[in-house]
Amino acid sequence: MADRFRIEHEGSSGSELEATDRLDVDEALGADEREALLDRVRTHRQVTAEVEKLRVQLARAEAFEGTLRRRLPTSAPASGS
């Protein structure tokens, strides 16, 4: 989904705010242009929701890493690296 957003975003001008502004004020939009703007807004919102989920996962992973770090003895040798 992020790749789709990147591709669509690179091919378009403006942000979600600009798209919503145009949808709100530009009554002369053609059906295709209106649908393209709506799709851009929907895609942006989907990507934003996915980013938020990833932020939550990262926070949990960082908390887990901190818990492990506190529980492991400090004299334990590092493995793998």
Side-chain angles (χ1 to χ4, degrees):
M1 183 183 314
D3 288 337
R4 179 176 167 222
F5 175 74
R6 183 174 38 80
I7 291 166
E8 289 179 3
H9 185 68
E10 288 172 356
S12 61
S13 61
S15 66
E16 180 190 10
L17 181 58
E18 290 173 2
T20 56
D21 285 348
R22 288 194 56 208
L23 287 165
D24 287 343
V25 298
D26 195 347
E27 294 178 12
L29 288 174
D32 290 342
E33 189 175 8
R34 179 175 176 72
E35 187 56 39
L37 289 170
L38 287 170
D39 189 50
R40 186 184 333 164
V41 171
R42 283 189 290 265
T43 300
H44 184 272
R45 289 179 181 172
Q46 290 170 344
V47 170
T48 300
E50 186 64 28
V51 167
E52 185 56 33
K53 289 178 189 176
L54 292 171
R55 285 183 177 144
V56 169
Q57 288 179 354
L58 177 60
R60 289 177 182 164
E62 288 173 336
F64 180 67
E65 182 270 340
T67 299
L68 289 178
R69 187 174 300 277
R70 285 188 302 275
R71 290 183 181 179
L72 289 175
T74 55
S75 61
S79 62
S81 302

